[in-house]
Amino acid sequence: AVVVGALWLSIAASTSTLIQQLVRDFGYIGVFIASVISGFNLIAPVPIISFMPAFIESGFLLVPTVLLISAGLTVGDSLGYVIGKLGREIDSEKIAKRRARLEELRAKGRWIPPVALFFWAAFVPMPNEVMVIPMALAGYRFFQIIPLTLAGNLLFNFLFAFGLLELAQ
């Protein structure tokens, strides 16, 4: 429902000269900042890429916009990683039990969670923090998680952007 609502809003925004002017005023930096916020939003996840028709109508180029959105989402995912890493330091019996269970799963299938994270980021329109935070809590390193998240974000956003542009035509 959130994705459909965002798509509807994006199509409406792509025909609004007021919204197009606002988008132009904020420019690529605004797109990046909005994508960081969108990338770290567990409450109401609205894929920023769903606004691609409005960005294109506002004069933005497809490839740089998708690259900026993917980079912004990955920065948001990095914040999720930091939260998971900080969770390792919390002295709580409940967190210690979860951390131990996650570490046990990590020991059994070391590369399964990172590969699953890539596919999650590439094909599931839900927050990546659902996987990033537990993986950080399990002890995965930043460079084991974030490059795969970036690759998944790039694939998702390019597929989504081209699909949206086809729908909008």
Side-chain angles (χ1 to χ4, degrees):
V2 170
V3 173
V4 171
L7 179 58
W8 175 83
L9 183 60
S10 175
I11 291 169
S14 67
T15 60
S16 168
T17 55
L18 175 66
I19 292 175
Q20 290 173 18
Q21 186 58 46
L22 280 171
V23 170
R24 276 192 292 276
D25 289 347
F26 285 101
Y28 285 108
I29 292 172
V31 170
F32 178 76
I33 292 169
S35 66
V36 171
I37 294 167
S38 174
F40 190 72
N41 188 353
L42 295 169
I43 298 168
V46 176
I48 186 97
I49 196 69
S50 62
F51 295 97
M52 185 54 92
F55 297 148
I56 296 297
E57 289 295 322
S58 298
F60 292 171
L61 299 173
L62 177 81
V63 172
T65 303
V66 171
L67 291 175
L68 276 173
I69 288 172
S70 298
L73 292 173
T74 305
V75 169
D77 295 336
S78 298
L79 296 173
Y81 177 84
V82 169
I83 288 173
K85 204 66 165 168
L86 291 173
R88 293 181 61 81
E89 306 302 320
I90 296 174
D91 190 24
S92 161
E93 186 176 319
K94 187 176 181 180
I95 289 181
K97 285 181 183 179
R98 287 190 179 161
R99 186 178 70 228
R101 177 70 180 129
L102 289 168
E103 288 172 350
E104 184 180 305
L105 289 171
R106 178 179 174 224
K108 288 181 182 178
R110 184 174 188 93
W111 287 103
I112 293 172
V115 170
L117 173 62
F118 167 77
F119 284 105
W120 177 275
F123 300 110
V124 179
M126 296 292 290
N128 294 335
E129 286 75 20
V130 169
M131 292 192 66
V132 169
I133 292 172
M135 288 177 69
L137 191 59
Y140 281 90
R141 292 188 193 119
F142 184 83
F143 289 107
Q144 290 176 301
I145 295 175
I146 297 305
L148 291 170
T149 306
L150 175 61
N153 285 338
L154 284 166
L155 181 58
F156 177 85
N157 289 321
F158 272 109
L159 291 173
F160 205 97
F162 284 112
L164 273 177
L165 294 177
E166 286 299 314
L167 281 175
Q169 289 181 1

